[in-house]
Amino acid sequence: MYYVGLKEEESKVEVSGRRGSIFDVEIDGKLRQVDFVKAENSYSLIIDGKSYEIDCEKSKNGYDIWMGGNYFQVSVLSEAQKRIQLSKKGKKSGGPQIIETEMPGKIVLVKKVTGETVKKGETVVVLEAMKMQNEILSPKDGTIEEMYVKDAQMVEASDKLFKIK
Amino acid sequence: MYYVGLKEEESKVEVSGRRGSIFDVEIDGKLRQVDFVKAENSYSLIIDGKSYEIDCEKSKNGYDIWMGGNYFQVSVLSEAQKRIQLSKKGKKSGGPQIIETEMPGKIVLVKKVTGETVKKGETVVVLEAMKMQNEILSPKDGTIEEMYVKDAQMVEASDKLFKIK
Amino acid sequence: MKIKKILIANRSEIAIRIARACREMGIKTVAVYSEIDRNSLHTRYMDEAYYIGKSPASESYLRIDKIIDAALKSGADAIHPGYGFLAENSEFVKECEKNGIIFIGPSRDSIYLLGNKTRARTKMKSSDVPIVPGTTEPVKSYDLLEQEAEKIGYPIMLKAAAGGGGKGIRLVKNESELKSAFEIASSEAKAAFGDDTIYIEKAIINPRHIEVQIARDNHGNSLWFPERECSIQRRHQKVLEESPSAAIDSRLREKIGRTAVKAADAAGYNSVGTVEFLLDEKYNFYFLEVNTRLQVEHPVTEMVTGIDLVKLQIEIAENKPIELTQDDIKLNGHAIECRIYAEDPEKNFRPSPGKVIGLRVPGGIGVRNDNGIYEGAVIPLFYDPIVGKLITWGDSRTQAIERMKRALSEYLVKGIKTTISFHRKILNDQSFIDGSISTEFVDNLLKIKNEPDKRLSEVAVIAAAILSEINKSHIAAGDDNNIKTGSSNWKNFGMRMGLCQQCL
Amino acid sequence: MKIKKILIANRSEIAIRIARACREMGIKTVAVYSEIDRNSLHTRYMDEAYYIGKSPASESYLRIDKIIDAALKSGADAIHPGYGFLAENSEFVKECEKNGIIFIGPSRDSIYLLGNKTRARTKMKSSDVPIVPGTTEPVKSYDLLEQEAEKIGYPIMLKAAAGGGGKGIRLVKNESELKSAFEIASSEAKAAFGDDTIYIEKAIINPRHIEVQIARDNHGNSLWFPERECSIQRRHQKVLEESPSAAIDSRLREKIGRTAVKAADAAGYNSVGTVEFLLDEKYNFYFLEVNTRLQVEHPVTEMVTGIDLVKLQIEIAENKPIELTQDDIKLNGHAIECRIYAEDPEKNFRPSPGKVIGLRVPGGIGVRNDNGIYEGAVIPLFYDPIVGKLITWGDSRTQAIERMKRALSEYLVKGIKTTISFHRKILNDQSFIDGSISTEFVDNLLKIKNEPDKRLSEVAVIAAAILSEINKSHIAAGDDNNIKTGSSNWKNFGMRMGLCQQCL
């Protein structure tokens, strides 16, 4: 049984059987036979004669799925993970966040200093890659607790940029 | 040192050094610097600024090479192999040959029987695959020593078809 | 009636071609697929997909019952048969009618009349369309065949009465070849069409194969399109087609075009179709047959006229009158199509099924790819060896040729062998460049052995030495007793594909 | 002089585009490549290839000395600069001249005049070509900028005097934004052109960006082509272009076309080039700038006219008079181009360099791919993020749109993120379909959140569950403290590429 979340909704999905490429899937009580194969670096699903091609990547909490020009961020929890999540509920995770760069590049502008307050969506750092300037925004209202980079610094992917509280 | 044969000609080729993708190659006494990389399931060579893209497959005696619409069957012998070949010289390899099918298919016609004489290029067996009839020819003048297949038989790749002496 | 959903009873490039038109028209598509085709592009491309049986065509793509079932289950309004398989099968049309499904193609009567080559010859003769001399009746026995052949005079062509697509055709130069040719032609005809009936045509010397795309609707409106030149054939299979023909001027173009429409009128034709002619060295042309379906080479016509023939075909099936007039059909530039077959031109064109492990398709200005493959695709041995078509357009024949040469130089298919390099030979041949070709062209070309230049030979030698150095352990010891012309991966391939005796 | 060998001083799709034309013309090609580009398609596509330095453009594709060296070594008669890099650098033209190499583009004087936007504005104003109101002199200091902005009145555009390609442009709505916009525009201008000079234009409200392809030879013959509609821009970078514009009728088309030729005449222009205009809501048009080079979006013009602009450009460089007359330029149908950028539209279009591990390009009727990538290609972070262009043609705008939607649905690029899905959004937008667009279009579109339908959501959920079942061990535990919006392969990618601080 998996708890699969998409936007605000969560479905209970059970993958109960498999014969070759055919999976028996029970979703919120309804049974579906799903023909699921990998082809051409994507996946092909045939459900009740309807055919779907999806592109898919593992994400932190589940899968990023592209289908027919649409983008779905799907989270998946196993039963064990669901129990842990439930037990954690109530505890707020409002601690400091460390913002990392997801790409290598050059810092061309540091707009905030340690201790400065920022609004959600405000530019904190400007990074240049592929000849374009990319503004790195604050994910929330808060205070810059630490700034890890300076002007003209080169950064590698996953390097820390700043910490916000 | 390799003895590389193409058609009737044989070249002595020494691959004497390598720095990254650059190979020092001495061919019949002339030194060439060859930038050799694999890309896109083919190989790219740059020699003195000239650029070549080749498609290549291992063959029994060396390599099959396609370049600019041309096809080259190149044989390669190491020094040890060359010595063996030289020592074998003089012995004729005129023994019986076993002809195998290179593709799966259905035998639709067996035109010769054991003991029958055949000419080089004569049709011995007709095989159907991909909706086309393929005539399997005798590689030389000789006698059918054994016929391994019969009409309407299904064959797998590498199955023996007949032996000719 | 507006068609909302079409089942495409075919596979590979032509199924994709039709589905593309549907998608552009907002029509839903339904695929059918055999066991080996679950991962094929056509299965995944369409909105719906239904499994119809084991891999051999006789158990899937030729199973009228299963295809009708899938159409009913999916609620398709219409079935498009593509070419090959059931495209010219009047039984299939009957079953569609019986189940209230539109067959996208001509009426059953047209198919019945034109599908049988001897019936068609009789009809055309009586309708003042010139036919190739020969029998207008099937030849019932080998004895009769000998007599008729004698009467008509060698060389003759043996042809399958139910024929099409180059199957079941043999040239017979003299009596001594007759028996063997008859056997092979009959057996091919039986295998391809389930009917071994044969008839005779006088062989025309050095003919060109010229064909005219026509369209005719249910209201009697008709169009002809600039001719296609299809003389480049190997074993009666077209290899390369172009439009227009270098041999035909605008006067002759119009004359053949009008004759093609006359043939369509005579047959009460009501779809897109192709009237095939032979053109002799004195520019006389003779009716050969009508292909009552979309043809492999239809893209060259699309490229020089800008008209989407599949859309036109669907609209005719919707009972719409053709909106275009003959004056709307303008010849713009020149187009060439190279059929890419999974065959090894270095090994006498033997079939080359297998897995495509690398694919780079040509691109850029004036280049169109109509393919059914992708990197990772498996080319099964059960079906026709065509894996795709490469089409180029240019403002002149010279530019179309130069562009095709350029496009072919970009094409890279790894894992299977294809006819790409053979096309490069054709396009570099002076007779081809001059446009002086006939159906003998390929046989003549195959006799020419070209020597690659010295420098390329040296590069091949260098490459082989470097590869040997890199893969030192891979050099095989050599084995004189067994002749294995194929790659040693064949056996593995067979096993991977789960091929067994029952499969073929 | 007949050019026999051309060095193409560029990379990726445009280098391939030019090499294709050369190959079709029988002209030999010479590639230059940086360290990271040894395996790039352009390096392997051409007849010759010379290494010119480390990966950063400043050490390779911008190194005039090394490129001239390679040209001399290879014996090239001419250099084609493509777009970007040295395409509009009059120093480079001077070096070519000095070394007896033909520069395929306009004369140094034309580039000097038009390359600087303020010089160009002055010239056009005096030649009776309407310009956008604003300064015709560079603004030398921030204080002056404040004054001029005040005078012209907000909103204004800040633009790089040496600009082009959308770099160094910022819209300033009011005074409070001026300082930050000035800093970013200057710094981008400096990075892109080595010149941080800025000037001001009055911002036109809801304008369309309309441009006219022109060609003018050394003998004073000139042509204009049907306009291109380039209003679909994001951050002043064109995203999607079409020809003709839905807003322009044949009368206005001719008027703008003639004005474009007037601009070319005024500059003594002698190559193919593009005159850019803004069209306001009352159909007044204003000269913006001339791009003195081949443009990214030139294929849409080729598709609707059948003319190969690169061949034309090379012939003009050979000093040939243009053989075509204005009457030969016929508008046939409609064409659309989608630029495929290596950017992630789901993550605010952040750059997405990396390795292409899967590639399926669209095909079939009316589809053209101008790509620089292949399966296995590495998209470096050193250069522009454009990886290819997809162009469709249709007999009407509606058909071109339907075909583009169909083609985009076939496109599959794995390993890097691209703007393909964003193009699908554009093409499904009702304003776009109605042709009522302006340069504000993308910003407006990005505000709309579309909900995918219920059934697709369910399929996504099912797929995620099956994938979880298949890869049971792969489900991560979740980690709230670090925000890593990118894939975790980023670091690996950086290491694989051998990226280091000195490289950028």
Side-chain angles (χ1 to χ4, degrees):
Chain A
M1 175 76 80
Y2 296 99
Y3 296 83
V4 185
L6 178 56
K7 307 237 167 184
E8 306 304 302
E9 286 179 41
E10 188 178 78
S11 307
K12 287 193 222 174
V13 189
E14 173 95 77
V15 183
S16 56
R18 176 178 184 174
R19 297 169 307 287
S21 64
I22 314 284
F23 292 78
D24 296 318
V25 178
E26 211 179 304
I27 170 165
D28 296 330
K30 290 162 292 177
L31 193 69
R32 297 257 188 274
Q33 288 205 335
V34 182
D35 187 351
F36 184 95
V37 300
K38 185 170 189 192
E40 216 174 349
N41 289 300
S42 64
Y43 297 90
S44 163
L45 286 81
I46 301 177
I47 308 174
D48 294 333
K50 303 279 181 293
S51 182
Y52 308 91
E53 186 175 51
I54 66 168
D55 185 5
C56 186
E57 265 179 29
K58 189 79 195 72
S59 67
K60 203 177 56 157
N61 301 313
Y63 293 91
D64 287 338
I65 291 174
W66 293 262
M67 184 179 0
N70 300 292
Y71 173 60
F72 302 87
Q73 284 182 292
V74 185
S75 65
V76 182
L77 292 175
S78 65
E79 286 184 272
Q81 290 168 325
K82 180 72 180 174
R83 271 193 304 274
I84 295 166
Q85 193 204 48
L86 286 173
S87 73
K88 270 191 182 167
K89 226 169 188 172
K91 294 186 211 166
K92 261 205 105 185
S93 66
Q97 288 185 348
I98 293 175
I99 309 302
E100 302 178 348
T101 169
E102 76 279 353
M103 55 191 146
K106 181 181 178 180
I107 304 295
V108 289
L109 206 60
V110 176
K111 297 196 73 168
K112 301 287 172 187
V113 296
T114 303
E116 205 169 340
T117 58
V118 290
K119 294 224 172 76
K120 183 177 173 177
E122 220 180 332
T123 303
V124 181
V125 169
V126 181
L127 177 109
E128 186 184 303
M130 284 181 127
K131 306 274 149 208
M132 290 300 280
Q133 316 255 316
N134 302 278
E135 304 181 6
I136 313 295
L137 312 178
S138 171
K140 60 177 184 181
D141 292 353
T143 311
I144 302 289
E145 227 181 41
E146 199 167 348
M147 177 60 65
Y148 302 105
V149 291
K150 59 178 192 285
D151 279 359
Q153 182 178 331
M154 311 302 302
V155 290
E156 300 277 325
S158 295
D159 276 1
K160 292 174 186 177
L161 297 178
F162 56 90
K163 189 195 275 186
I164 184 165
K165 193 175 172 173
Chain B
M1 175 76 81
Y2 296 99
Y3 296 84
V4 185
L6 178 56
K7 306 235 167 185
E8 307 303 303
E9 286 177 42
E10 189 178 77
S11 306
K12 287 195 222 173
V13 188
E14 174 95 75
V15 183
S16 55
R18 175 179 184 173
R19 296 169 309 288
S21 64
I22 313 284
F23 292 80
D24 296 318
V25 178
E26 209 180 305
I27 172 166
D28 296 330
K30 289 161 293 178
L31 193 68
R32 297 258 186 275
Q33 287 204 334
V34 183
D35 187 350
F36 184 94
V37 299
K38 186 169 189 192
E40 217 173 338
N41 289 298
S42 64
Y43 297 91
S44 164
L45 286 81
I46 301 177
I47 308 173
D48 295 332
K50 303 277 180 295
S51 181
Y52 308 91
E53 185 175 50
I54 68 167
D55 185 6
C56 185
E57 267 179 30
K58 188 80 194 72
S59 67
K60 203 177 56 159
N61 301 311
Y63 293 91
D64 287 338
I65 291 174
W66 292 262
M67 186 181 355
N70 299 293
Y71 173 61
F72 302 88
Q73 283 181 290
V74 185
S75 65
V76 181
L77 292 175
S78 65
E79 287 185 272
Q81 288 168 326
K82 181 71 180 176
R83 274 193 301 275
I84 296 167
Q85 191 203 49
L86 286 172
S87 73
K88 267 189 182 169
K89 224 165 187 176
K91 292 187 212 166
K92 259 205 108 186
S93 66
Q97 289 185 350
I98 293 174
I99 309 301
E100 301 176 350
T101 169
E102 76 278 355
M103 55 191 145
K106 181 180 175 178
I107 304 295
V108 289
L109 207 60
V110 176
K111 298 196 75 169
K112 300 287 172 185
V113 295
T114 304
E116 207 171 337
T117 59
V118 291
K119 294 223 172 77
K120 183 177 173 175
E122 219 179 333
T123 303
V124 182
V125 169
V126 181
L127 177 110
E128 187 184 301
M130 284 181 125
K131 306 278 150 203
M132 290 300 281
Q133 316 256 315
N134 301 279
E135 303 181 8
I136 313 294
L137 313 177
S138 173
K140 59 176 185 178
D141 293 352
T143 309
I144 302 289
E145 227 181 39
E146 201 166 345
M147 176 60 65
Y148 301 105
V149 291
K150 59 179 192 289
D151 280 358
Q153 183 178 329
M154 310 303 302
V155 290
E156 299 278 325
S158 295
D159 277 0
K160 292 174 184 176
L161 297 177
F162 55 90
K163 188 195 274 183
I164 185 166
K165 193 176 169 171
Chain C
M1 178 213 161
K2 177 84 188 79
I3 293 173
K4 291 189 197 71
K5 191 186 278 190
I6 295 177
L7 182 145
I8 299 169
N10 216 304
R11 63 182 302 284
S12 193
E13 66 91 10
I14 194 63
I16 303 289
R17 165 67 190 98
I18 296 158
R20 281 175 168 151
C22 293
R23 197 170 282 185
E24 293 177 17
M25 296 172 85
I27 296 172
K28 293 279 173 199
T29 48
V30 181
V32 289
Y33 62 98
S34 71
E35 189 166 30
I36 204 165
D37 273 336
R38 170 62 183 90
N39 271 1
S40 291
L41 196 56
H42 81 278
T43 305
R44 297 181 287 118
Y45 190 92
M46 307 198 202
D47 299 302
E48 303 183 30
Y50 292 89
Y51 173 74
I52 50 163
K54 298 274 180 202
S55 303
S58 58
E59 297 181 46
S60 49
Y61 299 104
L62 291 172
R63 283 287 296 267
I64 294 176
D65 54 340
K66 291 191 177 178
I67 290 167
I68 296 284
D69 263 7
L72 294 174
K73 211 184 289 176
S74 67
D77 310 311
I79 294 181
H80 196 306
Y83 57 70
F85 294 135
L86 299 169
E88 290 168 288
N89 184 316
S90 56
E91 272 309 300
F92 183 50
V93 183
K94 192 164 131 192
E95 285 303 310
C96 289
E97 283 170 12
K98 219 197 280 180
N99 288 281
I101 300 163
I102 296 169
F103 174 83
I104 300 177
S107 69
R108 187 144 59 94
D109 291 348
S110 287
I111 294 180
Y112 177 81
L113 173 69
L114 298 169
N116 184 291
K117 304 310 164 194
T118 49
R119 261 198 301 270
R121 283 165 60 80
T122 308
K123 180 74 181 177
M124 293 306 151
K125 202 172 174 181
S126 71
S127 306
D128 215 22
V129 173
I131 65 170
V132 182
T135 58
T136 51
E137 298 290 321
V139 185
K140 297 243 157 59
S141 71
Y142 182 70
D143 287 349
L144 274 171
L145 184 77
E146 271 189 320
Q147 290 168 30
E148 287 287 349
E150 198 69 33
K151 227 190 286 174
I152 291 162
Y154 291 95
I156 59 163
M157 301 294 293
L158 295 189
K159 295 197 169 182
K167 305 278 162 56
I169 300 188
R170 280 294 182 282
L171 170 67
V172 187
K173 290 195 202 107
N174 54 53
E175 205 187 325
S176 75
E177 298 177 352
L178 189 62
K179 180 129 196 166
S180 152
F182 177 65
E183 279 164 4
I184 288 186
S186 310
S187 121
E188 254 186 44
K190 182 83 185 171
F193 318 109
D195 175 354
D196 61 2
T197 314
I198 295 292
Y199 72 100
I200 308 180
E201 278 178 10
K202 174 90 185 155
I204 293 188
I205 303 307
N206 273 337
R208 283 174 184 260
H209 181 113
I210 299 290
E211 61 182 33
V212 178
Q213 176 74 53
I214 55 102
R216 193 169 181 279
D217 65 23
N218 291 315
H219 315 279
N221 305 305
S222 58
L223 295 174
W224 57 266
F225 293 77
E227 78 286 346
R228 294 190 287 252
E229 162 74 77
C230 306
S231 301
I232 311 285
Q233 306 186 349
R234 199 186 72 84
R235 292 170 68 171
H236 310 291
Q237 278 279 9
K238 292 165 193 163
V239 170
L240 177 153
E241 303 98 342
E242 52 184 316
S243 181
S245 167
I248 290 183
D249 60 16
S250 59
R251 212 184 46 81
L252 185 54
R253 175 166 305 125
E254 183 158 345
K255 193 171 164 197
I256 298 187
R258 286 175 188 275
T259 306
V261 166
K262 197 196 284 179
D265 286 342
Y269 199 80
N270 58 337
S271 186
V272 303
T274 297
V275 187
E276 299 196 327
F277 297 97
L278 286 184
L279 183 73
D280 72 15
E281 293 176 313
K282 290 172 183 156
Y283 299 94
N284 300 307
F285 58 89
Y286 307 95
F287 171 88
L288 212 51
E289 63 181 50
V290 177
N291 289 138
T292 60
R293 52 170 164 84
L294 193 66
Q295 239 163 321
V296 180
E297 58 271 28
H298 75 278
V300 291
T301 302
E302 296 181 326
M303 298 293 269
V304 294
T305 62
I307 290 161
D308 188 321
L309 291 169
V310 179
K311 288 185 185 169
L312 183 59
Q313 186 184 29
I314 292 170
E315 285 165 2
I316 292 173
E318 286 177 330
N319 207 24
K320 280 196 197 152
I322 295 172
E323 283 174 13
L324 298 162
T325 67
Q326 192 61 49
D327 285 345
D328 295 324
I329 311 299
K330 295 209 176 66
L331 174 60
N332 174 27
H334 196 98
I336 301 177
E337 171 182 284
C338 290
R339 297 186 183 196
I340 313 299
Y341 287 111
E343 294 177 344
D344 187 350
E346 305 298 342
K347 305 274 162 65
N348 196 30
F349 297 88
R350 71 170 188 223
S352 183
K355 185 171 182 171
V356 177
I357 58 169
L359 179 65
R360 180 178 69 203
V361 293
I365 186 168
V367 171
R368 168 175 170 184
N369 291 287
D370 272 33
N371 286 347
I373 58 171
Y374 59 90
E375 188 151 326
V378 167
I379 314 302
L381 61 93
F382 302 101
Y383 317 113
D384 267 10
I386 191 166
V387 294
K389 304 180 306 203
L390 171 62
I391 306 106
T392 59
W393 177 90
D395 59 15
S396 64
R397 184 168 187 267
T398 303
Q399 194 183 78
I401 290 174
E402 290 306 322
R403 193 159 279 160
M404 182 57 86
K405 283 163 68 172
R406 186 272 290 172
L408 287 165
S409 76
E410 297 173 10
Y411 223 136
L412 191 64
V413 183
K414 284 285 289 182
I416 59 167
K417 299 290 183 296
T418 71
T419 48
I420 292 167
S421 64
F422 183 60
H423 284 297
R424 297 179 77 164
K425 285 206 181 69
I426 294 172
L427 286 149
N428 282 311
D429 181 84
Q430 196 56 49
S431 302
F432 178 78
I433 292 166
D434 296 341
S436 73
I437 51 178
S438 75
T439 55
E440 309 290 305
F441 176 85
V442 169
D443 285 344
N444 293 335
L445 182 68
L446 287 171
K447 287 173 201 149
I448 304 168
K449 296 273 169 255
N450 287 323
E451 287 297 315
D453 80 25
K454 204 76 192 154
R455 199 177 65 187
L456 294 188
S457 299
E458 187 180 287
V459 173
V461 166
I462 289 172
I466 292 176
L467 284 163
S468 300
E469 185 72 13
I470 294 170
N471 314 314
K472 260 180 183 159
S473 59
H474 291 181
I475 299 166
D479 176 357
D480 290 328
N481 272 343
N482 279 19
I483 294 189
K484 240 186 256 185
T485 38
S487 120
S488 60
N489 289 326
W490 274 108
K491 195 160 216 159
N492 295 337
F493 170 70
M495 292 193 298
R496 267 203 322 283
M497 299 289 90
L499 297 175
C500 56
Q501 305 234 342
Q502 294 87 289
C503 291
L504 268 155
Chain D
M1 179 214 160
K2 175 86 188 79
I3 293 173
K4 292 189 195 70
K5 191 187 278 192
I6 294 177
L7 182 145
I8 299 168
N10 215 304
R11 62 182 300 283
S12 193
E13 66 92 9
I14 194 63
I16 303 289
R17 166 67 190 97
I18 296 157
R20 280 176 169 149
C22 293
R23 196 171 283 185
E24 292 177 15
M25 295 172 87
I27 295 172
K28 293 279 174 201
T29 48
V30 181
V32 289
Y33 63 98
S34 71
E35 189 167 31
I36 204 165
D37 274 336
R38 170 62 183 92
N39 271 1
S40 290
L41 198 55
H42 81 277
T43 306
R44 297 181 286 115
Y45 190 92
M46 307 197 201
D47 299 304
E48 303 182 30
Y50 293 89
Y51 174 76
I52 50 163
K54 297 276 181 203
S55 303
S58 57
E59 298 181 45
S60 48
Y61 299 105
L62 291 173
R63 283 288 295 267
I64 294 177
D65 55 339
K66 291 192 176 178
I67 290 168
I68 296 284
D69 263 6
L72 294 174
K73 209 186 288 177
S74 67
D77 309 311
I79 294 181
H80 196 304
Y83 57 71
F85 295 134
L86 299 170
E88 290 167 288
N89 184 316
S90 56
E91 271 310 298
F92 184 50
V93 183
K94 191 164 133 193
E95 285 304 310
C96 288
E97 282 170 13
K98 218 197 279 180
N99 288 281
I101 298 164
I102 297 170
F103 174 81
I104 300 178
S107 68
R108 190 144 56 96
D109 291 347
S110 288
I111 293 180
Y112 177 80
L113 174 69
L114 299 169
N116 185 292
K117 304 309 164 194
T118 49
R119 261 197 301 270
R121 282 165 61 78
T122 309
K123 180 75 181 174
M124 292 308 151
K125 202 173 174 182
S126 71
S127 305
D128 212 20
V129 173
I131 65 171
V132 182
T135 59
T136 51
E137 296 291 320
V139 184
K140 296 240 157 62
S141 71
Y142 181 70
D143 287 348
L144 275 172
L145 185 77
E146 270 188 323
Q147 290 166 31
E148 287 287 349
E150 199 70 33
K151 225 187 288 170
I152 292 162
Y154 292 94
I156 59 162
M157 302 294 294
L158 295 188
K159 295 196 170 183
K167 304 278 161 54
I169 301 188
R170 279 293 182 282
L171 170 68
V172 187
K173 290 194 201 109
N174 52 55
E175 204 187 326
S176 74
E177 296 178 354
L178 188 63
K179 179 129 197 164
S180 153
F182 176 66
E183 280 165 5
I184 289 187
S186 310
S187 124
E188 253 185 46
K190 182 84 186 169
F193 319 109
D195 176 354
D196 61 2
T197 314
I198 296 291
Y199 72 100
I200 307 180
E201 278 177 11
K202 172 92 185 151
I204 294 188
I205 303 306
N206 273 336
R208 284 175 185 258
H209 182 112
I210 300 290
E211 61 183 33
V212 178
Q213 175 74 52
I214 54 102
R216 194 168 181 279
D217 65 23
N218 292 316
H219 315 278
N221 305 304
S222 60
L223 294 175
W224 58 268
F225 294 76
E227 79 287 347
R228 294 190 287 254
E229 162 73 77
C230 306
S231 302
I232 312 284
Q233 305 186 350
R234 200 185 72 83
R235 293 171 68 171
H236 311 290
Q237 278 279 7
K238 293 166 193 164
V239 169
L240 178 152
E241 302 98 342
E242 52 184 316
S243 180
S245 166
I248 290 184
D249 61 15
S250 58
R251 210 186 46 81
L252 185 54
R253 174 166 305 123
E254 184 159 343
K255 192 171 163 197
I256 298 186
R258 285 176 188 274
T259 306
V261 166
K262 197 196 283 178
D265 286 342
Y269 199 79
N270 59 337
S271 184
V272 303
T274 297
V275 186
E276 298 195 328
F277 297 96
L278 286 185
L279 184 73
D280 72 14
E281 292 176 315
K282 291 172 181 155
Y283 300 94
N284 300 307
F285 57 90
Y286 306 94
F287 171 87
L288 212 51
E289 61 181 52
V290 178
N291 290 139
T292 59
R293 52 170 163 86
L294 194 65
Q295 239 163 322
V296 179
E297 58 270 28
H298 75 278
V300 291
T301 302
E302 296 182 324
M303 297 294 267
V304 294
T305 62
I307 290 161
D308 187 323
L309 291 170
V310 180
K311 288 185 186 171
L312 183 60
Q313 186 184 27
I314 292 171
E315 285 166 2
I316 292 172
E318 285 176 332
N319 206 24
K320 280 195 196 156
I322 295 173
E323 282 174 14
L324 298 162
T325 66
Q326 191 61 49
D327 285 345
D328 294 324
I329 311 299
K330 294 210 176 63
L331 174 60
N332 175 28
H334 196 98
I336 300 177
E337 171 181 284
C338 291
R339 298 187 181 196
I340 313 298
Y341 287 112
E343 295 176 344
D344 186 350
E346 305 298 341
K347 305 273 162 63
N348 196 27
F349 297 89
R350 70 172 188 222
S352 184
K355 185 171 182 172
V356 177
I357 59 169
L359 179 65
R360 180 179 70 202
V361 293
I365 186 168
V367 172
R368 168 175 170 184
N369 291 287
D370 271 33
N371 286 346
I373 57 170
Y374 58 89
E375 187 151 328
V378 167
I379 314 303
L381 61 92
F382 302 101
Y383 317 112
D384 265 8
I386 191 166
V387 295
K389 304 179 308 203
L390 171 62
I391 305 106
T392 60
W393 177 91
D395 58 14
S396 64
R397 184 169 188 267
T398 304
Q399 195 183 78
I401 290 174
E402 290 305 322
R403 193 160 278 159
M404 182 56 87
K405 284 163 68 173
R406 187 270 292 171
L408 288 166
S409 77
E410 297 173 8
Y411 223 135
L412 192 65
V413 183
K414 284 286 289 182
I416 60 167
K417 299 291 182 294
T418 71
T419 49
I420 292 166
S421 63
F422 183 60
H423 284 296
R424 298 179 76 166
K425 283 205 184 70
I426 295 173
L427 287 150
N428 281 311
D429 181 84
Q430 196 56 48
S431 302
F432 178 78
I433 292 166
D434 297 341
S436 72
I437 51 179
S438 76
T439 55
E440 308 290 305
F441 176 85
V442 169
D443 285 344
N444 293 334
L445 182 68
L446 287 171
K447 287 173 200 149
I448 304 169
K449 297 274 169 255
N450 288 322
E451 287 297 315
D453 81 25
K454 204 76 192 150
R455 200 176 65 188
L456 294 189
S457 299
E458 187 179 287
V459 173
V461 167
I462 289 173
I466 292 177
L467 284 163
S468 301
E469 184 73 15
I470 294 171
N471 315 314
K472 260 180 182 156
S473 58
H474 291 180
I475 299 167
D479 175 358
D480 289 329
N481 273 343
N482 280 19
I483 292 191
K484 238 186 256 183
T485 39
S487 122
S488 60
N489 289 324
W490 274 107
K491 196 159 215 162
N492 294 337
F493 171 69
M495 293 193 299
R496 267 204 321 284
M497 299 289 91
L499 297 176
C500 55
Q501 306 232 345
Q502 296 88 289
C503 290
L504 266 156

